[in-house]
Amino acid sequence: MLVRADGHIKATHSLSYQVETPAPLWAQQWPSVWMDAVVACIKGVLAQAKPTQGAIKSICISSLYGGSGIPVDADGKALYPCLIWMDRRAQAQVDWVRNNVDLERLFDITGNGVDSYYGYTKMLWLRDNEPAVWVHTAQFLPPNSFINAALTGQVAVDHSSAGNIGGVYDLKNRCWSDEALAMLGIPRRMMPDRLVASSDVVGPLLPHWAEALGLPVGLPVVAGGVDAAVATLAAGATQTGNHVGMIGTSMAWGTIRQQVDARHGLISMPHVFNGMEDLYVSGGAITAGASVSWFRENFCQAEIAAGRAQGVDPHVLLEAAASGLPSGSDALLFLPYLMGERSPLWDAKASGAFIGLGLHHGRAHLYRAVLEGIAYALHHNIETGTLDGHPLDEAITIVGGASQSDLWMQIIADVTGRPVFTIAEEVEASLGAAQLAAYGVGLIDAATVRKGWVQLTARAQPQEPARSTYAALFQLYVALYPTLKPVMHQLRQISVDTAAAGILSP
């Protein structure tokens, strides 16, 4: 995204890339896919906007939460793919931490829990399973840090990315924790020495990259940060109590705090703005839009064919049918745990389910139940976020692909009991990165960042009797997981055993 210093968007360009899944529960990427996307997108916006000589003043890159980060050798060469946030291979390491580390002390130091989501457990997996990689690893670099190091020749890790690794970062003192690293058996030398704010300049753009990208030599490269926090900044969340839900392939909900209790099961890291004082405290579901896509691709061939014939998105047809149904989908619940679940359950063995199915239910009921199930997961995280007694703003802002759905926005308002706002501009983390780029080189001040660049649009108000219906169903939704957990775990184990035995369904 190319943005003027007043927030006006001049050009956008995007490029998708794939996740490697070479084994069940594995999800990894080589950094070349990120670099290719960075190059393509920068060239794409420059080709559209054709800025004048010297008009570009800085660049900033946000990135997915990179889990382990990229293990690099002394020359900065990638030794192994990045085990990204959705990778769940480190369950044995999670069990080791729970059995061998002082968890209460780890919680107090890091403000985070123990799960295969966190980068430090994935680092331990590399230590235990890839000793040749481990012995040659000089440092672990989060995705944006790896790209910034390539562009500038200088290594730095922003505090949001460092904090989101989990068990190796001291959240109170905003530094690596020697004590936690020692408990885990991760050498301190593997953590880059230079920690910076997300708006700090990492270094100047190197000449060969300037030539390759069509940008000025020495252009300031601003650190950036984890995309969920950067997207929350883009949505205008800079004050305590502001909160934003991002619903794309996954769902992330986040708010701004100054303290956190890891025992409540949420994720915490320094915020990408005012990060020495503010924390970004978040939770999320692994499959949100992915649940919708799964349902559409597997069960909605008629709507896909009709949409193709009519020239409309099949979701339009599905939502038209689902909109006429009562709130709660005629007493049908969906648990969106198709890849296990993150907060507040933290259970890689959780699985999805439709509960309450009857002969009176049709495809539209199931589709609506999927939307409602994701709204329940969002509400579950919001409710968890209030356990520490910190207030939240009454209204919630929703960003991401789900914000295009009027039906889904009304469901979220009715499930959460909160007014729902969306952003008039279809932007997410890229606009937040542009704000950080402008702020980092003094083009805008802190007051402008706090005011934000986006326009919020009121989309839905909670309505009765839907609100009361959903309140009762939400209590059943929360009760279902502990009730079904033993069966979920047994089924997961049967699946693992079947795969290991090479017994495949026809």
Side-chain angles (χ1 to χ4, degrees):
M1 183 174 288
L2 184 62
V3 184
R4 280 194 330 220
D6 62 1
H8 175 75
I9 298 169
K10 298 287 290 182
T12 63
H13 190 84
S14 64
L15 181 72
S16 62
Y17 44 81
Q18 300 302 311
V19 175
E20 296 179 5
T21 54
L25 301 180
W26 288 31
Q28 61 189 39
Q29 289 172 327
W30 285 99
S32 58
V33 299
W34 308 327
M35 184 59 78
D36 290 345
V38 167
V39 172
C41 289
I42 289 176
K43 287 185 174 181
V45 295
L46 293 178
Q48 290 177 52
K50 297 180 174 59
T52 58
Q53 184 77 20
I56 307 297
K57 300 299 183 184
S58 63
I59 61 173
C60 176
I61 296 167
S62 73
S63 69
L64 76 163
Y65 169 49
S68 67
I70 290 288
V72 300
D73 64 16
D75 297 322
K77 179 184 176 182
L79 298 173
Y80 199 83
C82 179
L83 313 190
I84 67 172
W85 62 271
M86 68 170 64
D87 189 283
R88 308 293 280 179
R89 74 185 74 176
Q91 189 56 47
Q93 287 67 40
V94 169
D95 295 339
W96 180 87
V97 171
R98 287 175 174 162
N99 293 328
N100 293 277
V101 171
D102 183 345
L103 296 184
E104 293 301 311
R105 182 60 183 150
L106 195 69
F107 294 160
D108 285 338
I109 293 172
T110 69
N112 285 293
V114 185
D115 189 78
S116 57
Y117 161 85
Y118 289 108
Y120 74 96
T121 63
K122 302 177 198 294
M123 292 174 182
L124 295 177
W125 184 93
L126 287 167
R127 182 192 68 185
D128 296 344
N129 294 275
E130 295 289 344
V133 171
W134 186 260
V135 74
H136 290 102
T137 296
Q139 293 179 317
F140 284 96
L141 299 184
N144 58 314
S145 298
F146 183 93
I147 299 299
N148 291 340
L151 296 178
T152 67
Q154 300 186 37
V155 173
V157 177
D158 67 280
H159 285 279
S160 77
S161 297
N164 203 18
I165 294 171
V168 298
Y169 182 84
D170 186 328
L171 199 63
K172 296 183 180 69
N173 296 307
R174 300 301 202 267
C175 62
W176 302 119
S177 170
D178 291 334
E179 180 182 351
L181 286 163
M183 286 194 294
L184 295 167
I186 298 174
R188 170 64 180 82
R189 63 173 177 78
M190 291 184 175
M191 302 295 108
D193 288 330
R194 187 182 174 200
L195 290 170
V196 297
S198 291
S199 56
D200 282 349
V201 174
V202 173
L205 186 64
L206 294 170
H208 69 278
W209 277 111
E211 181 179 359
L213 296 170
L215 292 171
V217 174
L219 184 73
V221 177
V222 172
V226 176
D227 57 1
V230 178
T232 297
L233 174 66
T238 60
Q239 307 285 347
T240 301
N242 295 162
H243 59 126
V244 177
M246 289 158 286
I247 305 179
T249 301
S250 62
M251 182 276 289
W253 170 85
T255 187
I256 311 303
R257 296 276 164 78
Q258 285 74 46
Q259 297 89 28
V260 69
D261 186 341
R263 295 155 191 82
H264 293 153
L266 295 180
I267 302 160
S268 58
M269 68 194 86
H271 194 29
V272 293
F273 174 72
N274 197 37
M276 290 298 100
E277 297 180 20
D278 292 342
L279 299 176
Y280 173 71
V281 178
S282 68
I286 293 179
T287 58
S291 293
V292 178
S293 299
W294 163 81
F295 183 78
R296 181 197 65 216
E297 295 302 322
N298 287 284
F299 306 110
C300 303
Q301 298 308 310
E303 286 80 5
I304 291 172
R308 189 179 299 116
Q310 298 173 32
V312 299
D313 189 319
H315 289 291
V316 173
L317 304 178
L318 288 163
E319 291 202 4
S323 295
L325 296 174
S327 301
S329 304
D330 280 330
L332 180 63
L333 289 171
F334 173 69
L335 303 183
Y337 311 147
L338 300 182
M339 280 283 289
E341 189 52 300
R342 286 190 294 184
S343 61
L345 306 184
W346 295 112
D347 187 354
K349 297 179 181 179
S351 56
F354 284 101
I355 304 294
L357 275 171
L359 291 176
H360 61 290
H361 289 122
R363 187 156 52 226
H365 289 90
L366 272 70
Y367 180 79
R368 182 176 181 119
V370 170
L371 302 185
E372 291 171 340
I374 297 159
Y376 294 139
L378 171 64
H379 189 41
H380 201 182
N381 279 283
I382 294 172
E383 291 288 285
T384 303
T386 63
L387 293 177
D388 59 7
H390 288 85
L392 294 172
D393 293 349
E394 180 187 9
I396 182 172
T397 301
I398 301 294
V399 300
S403 66
Q404 300 175 24
S405 167
D406 290 336
L407 172 61
W408 211 347
M409 295 305 96
Q410 187 60 54
I411 288 172
I412 289 174
D414 293 335
V415 167
T416 64
R418 297 175 181 276
V420 170
F421 285 76
T422 58
I423 298 174
E425 304 86 351
E426 292 187 15
V427 297
E428 292 184 51
S430 51
L431 186 68
Q435 281 183 290
L436 292 171
Y439 180 56
V441 297
L443 295 176
I444 59 175
D445 59 16
T448 302
V449 179
R450 292 189 186 280
K451 182 179 179 182
W453 277 342
V454 297
Q455 182 68 39
L456 296 181
T457 301
R459 288 289 296 280
Q461 291 282 338
Q463 303 288 334
E464 291 290 355
R467 172 67 188 130
S468 296
T469 298
Y470 283 128
L473 289 171
F474 176 70
Q475 296 306 313
L476 297 176
Y477 170 90
V478 172
L480 276 172
Y481 166 72
T483 301
L484 296 177
K485 179 180 177 180
V487 176
M488 290 178 176
H489 285 204
Q490 290 177 54
L491 290 173
R492 288 288 192 190
Q493 189 59 51
I494 291 172
S495 176
V496 169
D497 292 345
T498 301
I503 303 172
L504 302 178
S505 299

